[in-house]
Short mmCIF file of all heavy atoms in Angstrom, two decimals:
data_model
loop_
_atom_site.label_atom_id
_atom_site.label_comp_id
_atom_site.label_asym_id
_atom_site.label_seq_id
_atom_site.Cartn_x
_atom_site.Cartn_y
_atom_site.Cartn_z
N PHE A 1 -38.69 58.74 31.78
CA PHE A 1 -40.02 58.92 31.19
C PHE A 1 -40.70 60.13 31.83
O PHE A 1 -40.89 60.18 33.04
CB PHE A 1 -40.85 57.65 31.41
CG PHE A 1 -42.27 57.73 30.93
CD1 PHE A 1 -42.62 58.44 29.79
CD2 PHE A 1 -43.28 57.06 31.61
CE1 PHE A 1 -43.92 58.49 29.33
CE2 PHE A 1 -44.59 57.10 31.17
CZ PHE A 1 -44.92 57.81 30.04
N LYS A 2 -41.05 61.11 31.01
CA LYS A 2 -41.76 62.30 31.48
C LYS A 2 -43.16 62.30 30.87
O LYS A 2 -43.31 62.42 29.66
CB LYS A 2 -41.02 63.58 31.06
CG LYS A 2 -39.61 63.71 31.61
CD LYS A 2 -39.61 63.87 33.12
CE LYS A 2 -38.20 64.16 33.65
NZ LYS A 2 -38.16 64.16 35.13
N PHE A 3 -44.18 62.15 31.70
CA PHE A 3 -45.56 62.11 31.20
C PHE A 3 -46.18 63.51 31.16
O PHE A 3 -47.21 63.71 30.53
CB PHE A 3 -46.40 61.19 32.09
CG PHE A 3 -47.73 60.81 31.50
CD1 PHE A 3 -47.79 60.06 30.33
CD2 PHE A 3 -48.91 61.21 32.10
CE1 PHE A 3 -49.02 59.72 29.77
CE2 PHE A 3 -50.15 60.86 31.55
CZ PHE A 3 -50.20 60.11 30.38
N GLY A 4 -45.54 64.46 31.83
CA GLY A 4 -46.09 65.81 31.88
C GLY A 4 -46.07 66.51 30.53
O GLY A 4 -45.23 66.24 29.68
N ALA A 5 -47.02 67.44 30.36
CA ALA A 5 -47.12 68.19 29.11
C ALA A 5 -46.83 69.68 29.29
O ALA A 5 -46.66 70.40 28.31
CB ALA A 5 -48.53 68.02 28.53
N GLY A 6 -46.74 70.14 30.53
CA GLY A 6 -46.62 71.58 30.77
C GLY A 6 -45.20 72.12 30.75
O GLY A 6 -44.98 73.28 30.40
N VAL A 7 -44.23 71.31 31.15
CA VAL A 7 -42.85 71.77 31.25
C VAL A 7 -41.96 70.91 30.35
O VAL A 7 -41.80 69.71 30.59
CB VAL A 7 -42.33 71.70 32.71
CG1 VAL A 7 -40.90 72.21 32.78
CG2 VAL A 7 -43.23 72.51 33.63
N LEU A 8 -41.39 71.51 29.32
CA LEU A 8 -40.51 70.79 28.40
C LEU A 8 -39.20 70.46 29.11
O LEU A 8 -38.59 71.32 29.74
CB LEU A 8 -40.23 71.64 27.17
CG LEU A 8 -39.29 71.03 26.12
CD1 LEU A 8 -39.97 69.86 25.42
CD2 LEU A 8 -38.87 72.08 25.11
N VAL A 9 -38.76 69.21 29.02
CA VAL A 9 -37.52 68.77 29.66
C VAL A 9 -36.51 68.35 28.59
O VAL A 9 -36.84 67.58 27.68
CB VAL A 9 -37.78 67.59 30.63
CG1 VAL A 9 -36.49 67.19 31.33
CG2 VAL A 9 -38.84 67.97 31.66
N MET A 10 -35.30 68.86 28.70
CA MET A 10 -34.24 68.51 27.76
C MET A 10 -33.14 67.72 28.48
O MET A 10 -32.91 67.91 29.67
CB MET A 10 -33.65 69.78 27.13
CG MET A 10 -34.65 70.59 26.31
SD MET A 10 -35.28 69.67 24.88
CE MET A 10 -33.80 69.62 23.85
N PRO A 11 -32.44 66.85 27.77
CA PRO A 11 -31.40 66.03 28.41
C PRO A 11 -30.07 66.75 28.59
O PRO A 11 -29.27 66.37 29.45
CB PRO A 11 -31.25 64.85 27.44
CG PRO A 11 -31.59 65.43 26.11
CD PRO A 11 -32.67 66.45 26.37
N HIS A 12 -29.80 67.75 27.78
CA HIS A 12 -28.49 68.41 27.77
C HIS A 12 -28.23 69.14 29.11
O HIS A 12 -28.97 70.04 29.49
CB HIS A 12 -28.42 69.40 26.61
CG HIS A 12 -28.78 68.77 25.29
ND1 HIS A 12 -27.92 67.93 24.63
CD2 HIS A 12 -29.91 68.82 24.55
CE1 HIS A 12 -28.50 67.49 23.53
NE2 HIS A 12 -29.72 68.02 23.45
N GLY A 13 -27.19 68.71 29.79
CA GLY A 13 -26.84 69.31 31.07
C GLY A 13 -27.82 69.00 32.18
O GLY A 13 -27.81 69.65 33.22
N ASN A 14 -28.67 68.00 31.99
CA ASN A 14 -29.73 67.67 32.94
C ASN A 14 -29.15 66.94 34.16
O ASN A 14 -28.66 65.82 34.04
CB ASN A 14 -30.77 66.79 32.24
CG ASN A 14 -32.01 66.54 33.07
OD1 ASN A 14 -31.92 66.19 34.24
ND2 ASN A 14 -33.16 66.70 32.46
N PRO A 15 -29.19 67.55 35.36
CA PRO A 15 -28.59 66.91 36.54
C PRO A 15 -29.32 65.65 36.97
O PRO A 15 -28.71 64.72 37.52
CB PRO A 15 -28.66 67.99 37.61
CG PRO A 15 -29.77 68.89 37.18
CD PRO A 15 -29.74 68.88 35.68
N GLN A 16 -30.63 65.59 36.74
CA GLN A 16 -31.39 64.41 37.14
C GLN A 16 -30.91 63.17 36.38
O GLN A 16 -30.71 62.11 36.98
CB GLN A 16 -32.88 64.63 36.87
CG GLN A 16 -33.76 63.46 37.31
CD GLN A 16 -35.24 63.70 37.07
OE1 GLN A 16 -35.62 64.68 36.41
NE2 GLN A 16 -36.09 62.84 37.58
N LEU A 17 -30.70 63.30 35.09
CA LEU A 17 -30.23 62.17 34.29
C LEU A 17 -28.82 61.76 34.69
O LEU A 17 -28.50 60.56 34.74
CB LEU A 17 -30.27 62.53 32.80
CG LEU A 17 -31.65 62.49 32.13
CD1 LEU A 17 -31.57 63.05 30.72
CD2 LEU A 17 -32.18 61.07 32.09
N ARG A 18 -27.97 62.72 34.98
CA ARG A 18 -26.61 62.40 35.40
C ARG A 18 -26.60 61.69 36.76
O ARG A 18 -25.81 60.79 37.02
CB ARG A 18 -25.75 63.68 35.44
CG ARG A 18 -25.29 64.10 34.06
CD ARG A 18 -24.84 65.56 34.02
NE ARG A 18 -24.20 65.88 32.75
CZ ARG A 18 -24.84 66.01 31.59
NH1 ARG A 18 -26.16 65.86 31.57
NH2 ARG A 18 -24.19 66.29 30.48
N TYR A 19 -27.49 62.10 37.63
CA TYR A 19 -27.66 61.47 38.94
C TYR A 19 -28.04 59.99 38.75
O TYR A 19 -27.46 59.10 39.38
CB TYR A 19 -28.77 62.23 39.68
CG TYR A 19 -28.90 62.04 41.17
CD1 TYR A 19 -28.80 63.13 42.04
CD2 TYR A 19 -29.19 60.80 41.73
CE1 TYR A 19 -28.97 62.99 43.41
CE2 TYR A 19 -29.36 60.65 43.10
CZ TYR A 19 -29.26 61.75 43.93
OH TYR A 19 -29.44 61.61 45.28
N TYR A 20 -29.04 59.75 37.87
CA TYR A 20 -29.46 58.38 37.60
C TYR A 20 -28.32 57.55 36.99
O TYR A 20 -28.12 56.39 37.34
CB TYR A 20 -30.65 58.37 36.63
CG TYR A 20 -31.95 58.88 37.21
CD1 TYR A 20 -32.92 59.45 36.39
CD2 TYR A 20 -32.23 58.76 38.57
CE1 TYR A 20 -34.11 59.91 36.90
CE2 TYR A 20 -33.43 59.23 39.09
CZ TYR A 20 -34.37 59.80 38.25
OH TYR A 20 -35.56 60.25 38.76
N ALA A 21 -27.61 58.16 36.04
CA ALA A 21 -26.51 57.44 35.37
C ALA A 21 -25.41 57.08 36.36
O ALA A 21 -24.87 55.97 36.34
CB ALA A 21 -25.95 58.30 34.24
N LEU A 22 -25.09 58.01 37.25
CA LEU A 22 -24.08 57.75 38.27
C LEU A 22 -24.55 56.62 39.18
O LEU A 22 -23.77 55.72 39.53
CB LEU A 22 -23.82 59.02 39.09
CG LEU A 22 -22.78 58.91 40.19
CD1 LEU A 22 -21.40 58.60 39.61
CD2 LEU A 22 -22.72 60.22 41.00
N GLY A 23 -25.84 56.64 39.54
CA GLY A 23 -26.40 55.58 40.38
C GLY A 23 -26.30 54.22 39.72
O GLY A 23 -25.97 53.21 40.37
N ALA A 24 -26.54 54.18 38.40
CA ALA A 24 -26.46 52.92 37.66
C ALA A 24 -25.02 52.41 37.60
O ALA A 24 -24.77 51.20 37.73
CB ALA A 24 -27.02 53.10 36.26
N MET A 25 -24.08 53.32 37.41
CA MET A 25 -22.67 52.91 37.32
C MET A 25 -22.14 52.40 38.66
O MET A 25 -21.39 51.42 38.71
CB MET A 25 -21.82 54.08 36.84
CG MET A 25 -21.87 54.31 35.34
SD MET A 25 -20.70 55.57 34.78
CE MET A 25 -19.14 54.83 35.24
N VAL A 26 -22.56 53.05 39.73
CA VAL A 26 -22.05 52.69 41.05
C VAL A 26 -22.64 51.37 41.56
O VAL A 26 -21.97 50.62 42.28
CB VAL A 26 -22.32 53.85 42.05
CG1 VAL A 26 -22.05 53.41 43.49
CG2 VAL A 26 -21.47 55.06 41.71
N THR A 27 -23.88 51.09 41.19
CA THR A 27 -24.57 49.93 41.77
C THR A 27 -24.71 48.74 40.82
O THR A 27 -25.46 47.81 41.10
CB THR A 27 -25.98 50.35 42.25
OG1 THR A 27 -26.71 50.89 41.13
CG2 THR A 27 -25.88 51.39 43.35
N THR A 28 -24.00 48.77 39.70
CA THR A 28 -24.01 47.64 38.77
C THR A 28 -22.57 47.33 38.35
O THR A 28 -21.68 48.16 38.56
CB THR A 28 -24.82 47.96 37.49
OG1 THR A 28 -24.15 49.00 36.76
CG2 THR A 28 -26.25 48.39 37.82
N PRO A 29 -22.33 46.18 37.74
CA PRO A 29 -20.98 45.86 37.26
C PRO A 29 -20.67 46.48 35.90
O PRO A 29 -19.60 46.27 35.35
CB PRO A 29 -21.01 44.33 37.17
CG PRO A 29 -22.43 43.99 36.88
CD PRO A 29 -23.24 45.01 37.63
N PHE A 30 -21.60 47.28 35.36
CA PHE A 30 -21.41 47.86 34.03
C PHE A 30 -20.31 48.92 34.07
O PHE A 30 -20.30 49.78 34.94
CB PHE A 30 -22.70 48.49 33.52
CG PHE A 30 -23.92 47.61 33.62
CD1 PHE A 30 -25.17 48.14 33.91
CD2 PHE A 30 -23.81 46.23 33.44
CE1 PHE A 30 -26.29 47.33 33.99
CE2 PHE A 30 -24.93 45.41 33.54
CZ PHE A 30 -26.17 45.96 33.82
N ARG A 31 -19.40 48.85 33.10
CA ARG A 31 -18.32 49.83 33.00
C ARG A 31 -18.30 50.40 31.57
O ARG A 31 -17.52 49.97 30.73
CB ARG A 31 -16.98 49.17 33.36
CG ARG A 31 -16.87 48.77 34.82
CD ARG A 31 -16.96 49.98 35.74
NE ARG A 31 -17.02 49.62 37.16
CZ ARG A 31 -18.14 49.57 37.86
NH1 ARG A 31 -19.30 49.84 37.27
NH2 ARG A 31 -18.12 49.24 39.13
N PRO A 32 -19.14 51.38 31.32
CA PRO A 32 -19.26 51.92 29.96
C PRO A 32 -18.18 52.94 29.62
O PRO A 32 -17.55 53.52 30.51
CB PRO A 32 -20.63 52.60 29.99
CG PRO A 32 -20.73 53.08 31.41
CD PRO A 32 -20.10 52.01 32.24
N LYS A 33 -17.98 53.13 28.32
CA LYS A 33 -17.13 54.21 27.85
C LYS A 33 -17.99 55.45 27.54
O LYS A 33 -17.55 56.57 27.73
CB LYS A 33 -16.37 53.78 26.59
CG LYS A 33 -15.27 52.76 26.85
CD LYS A 33 -14.52 52.43 25.58
CE LYS A 33 -13.38 51.44 25.85
NZ LYS A 33 -12.64 51.10 24.60
N LYS A 34 -19.20 55.17 27.06
CA LYS A 34 -20.13 56.24 26.74
C LYS A 34 -21.44 56.04 27.51
O LYS A 34 -21.82 54.90 27.81
CB LYS A 34 -20.44 56.28 25.24
CG LYS A 34 -19.23 56.60 24.36
CD LYS A 34 -18.83 58.06 24.46
CE LYS A 34 -17.69 58.40 23.51
NZ LYS A 34 -17.30 59.83 23.60
N VAL A 35 -22.11 57.15 27.79
CA VAL A 35 -23.40 57.09 28.46
C VAL A 35 -24.39 57.93 27.66
O VAL A 35 -24.13 59.10 27.35
CB VAL A 35 -23.32 57.64 29.91
CG1 VAL A 35 -24.70 57.63 30.56
CG2 VAL A 35 -22.33 56.82 30.73
N GLU A 36 -25.52 57.32 27.31
CA GLU A 36 -26.56 58.04 26.58
C GLU A 36 -27.68 58.40 27.55
O GLU A 36 -28.24 57.52 28.22
CB GLU A 36 -27.12 57.20 25.43
CG GLU A 36 -28.11 57.96 24.56
CD GLU A 36 -28.52 57.22 23.30
OE1 GLU A 36 -28.06 56.06 23.12
OE2 GLU A 36 -29.29 57.78 22.51
N LEU A 37 -27.97 59.68 27.65
CA LEU A 37 -28.99 60.19 28.56
C LEU A 37 -30.22 60.55 27.73
O LEU A 37 -30.14 61.38 26.82
CB LEU A 37 -28.47 61.41 29.30
CG LEU A 37 -27.12 61.22 30.02
CD1 LEU A 37 -26.60 62.55 30.54
CD2 LEU A 37 -27.25 60.20 31.15
N VAL A 38 -31.35 59.92 28.04
CA VAL A 38 -32.53 60.03 27.18
C VAL A 38 -33.76 60.52 27.95
O VAL A 38 -34.05 60.03 29.05
CB VAL A 38 -32.87 58.67 26.54
CG1 VAL A 38 -34.04 58.81 25.56
CG2 VAL A 38 -31.65 58.08 25.84
N ILE A 39 -34.46 61.48 27.37
CA ILE A 39 -35.76 61.92 27.86
C ILE A 39 -36.81 61.46 26.86
O ILE A 39 -36.68 61.71 25.66
CB ILE A 39 -35.84 63.46 27.98
CG1 ILE A 39 -34.90 63.99 29.07
CG2 ILE A 39 -37.28 63.92 28.24
CD1 ILE A 39 -35.33 63.69 30.49
N VAL A 40 -37.84 60.77 27.35
CA VAL A 40 -38.99 60.43 26.51
C VAL A 40 -40.18 61.18 27.08
O VAL A 40 -40.65 60.88 28.18
CB VAL A 40 -39.26 58.90 26.50
CG1 VAL A 40 -40.47 58.60 25.61
CG2 VAL A 40 -38.04 58.14 26.00
N GLN A 41 -40.67 62.17 26.33
CA GLN A 41 -41.75 63.04 26.80
C GLN A 41 -42.79 63.18 25.68
O GLN A 41 -42.82 64.17 24.95
CB GLN A 41 -41.19 64.41 27.21
CG GLN A 41 -42.20 65.30 27.93
CD GLN A 41 -41.57 66.61 28.39
OE1 GLN A 41 -40.54 67.04 27.90
NE2 GLN A 41 -42.22 67.26 29.36
N PRO A 42 -43.68 62.20 25.55
CA PRO A 42 -44.59 62.14 24.40
C PRO A 42 -45.63 63.26 24.33
O PRO A 42 -46.10 63.59 23.25
CB PRO A 42 -45.28 60.78 24.56
CG PRO A 42 -44.42 60.02 25.52
CD PRO A 42 -43.82 61.03 26.42
N ARG A 43 -46.00 63.84 25.48
CA ARG A 43 -47.12 64.80 25.46
C ARG A 43 -46.68 66.26 25.34
O ARG A 43 -47.52 67.15 25.35
CB ARG A 43 -47.97 64.64 26.73
CG ARG A 43 -48.60 63.25 26.88
CD ARG A 43 -49.82 63.29 27.77
NE ARG A 43 -49.52 63.81 29.11
CZ ARG A 43 -50.44 64.13 30.01
NH1 ARG A 43 -51.72 64.02 29.71
NH2 ARG A 43 -50.09 64.56 31.21
N CYS A 44 -45.40 66.50 25.24
CA CYS A 44 -44.90 67.88 25.14
C CYS A 44 -44.22 68.06 23.79
O CYS A 44 -43.19 67.44 23.52
CB CYS A 44 -43.91 68.17 26.27
SG CYS A 44 -43.70 69.92 26.62
N ALA A 45 -44.81 68.87 22.92
CA ALA A 45 -44.32 69.03 21.55
C ALA A 45 -42.94 69.66 21.50
O ALA A 45 -42.64 70.59 22.24
CB ALA A 45 -45.30 69.89 20.75
N HIS A 46 -42.10 69.12 20.63
CA HIS A 46 -40.76 69.64 20.41
C HIS A 46 -40.35 69.26 18.99
O HIS A 46 -40.68 68.16 18.52
CB HIS A 46 -39.77 69.05 21.42
CG HIS A 46 -38.40 69.65 21.36
ND1 HIS A 46 -37.42 69.20 20.50
CD2 HIS A 46 -37.85 70.70 22.03
CE1 HIS A 46 -36.33 69.94 20.66
NE2 HIS A 46 -36.56 70.85 21.57
N PRO A 47 -39.64 70.16 18.28
CA PRO A 47 -39.24 69.85 16.90
C PRO A 47 -38.49 68.53 16.77
O PRO A 47 -38.57 67.86 15.73
CB PRO A 47 -38.35 71.04 16.53
CG PRO A 47 -38.83 72.16 17.38
CD PRO A 47 -39.25 71.53 18.67
#
């Protein structure tokens, strides 16, 4: 969740999201085949 409006954040190649995803995989019993990395940034306009 990104509440900021000044800096647009994209998920593609985003190291922060990959860091979080790796943390979730290592510390849970979940073993996914696919991982969806999502940015929700309501205050920053994007097409």
Side-chain angles (χ1 to χ4, degrees):
F1 177 35
K2 299 294 186 186
F3 194 64
V7 181
L8 179 70
V9 182
M10 297 298 290
H12 308 285
N14 188 312
Q16 182 179 9
L17 282 172
R18 282 162 171 72
Y19 196 122
Y20 289 153
L22 181 63
M25 281 187 62
V26 169
T27 58
T28 66
F30 310 145
R31 293 297 173 261
K33 289 183 178 179
K34 296 287 184 180
V35 177
E36 186 172 2
L37 307 171
V38 184
I39 293 289
V40 180
Q41 190 177 20
R43 299 203 302 169
C44 201
H46 187 274

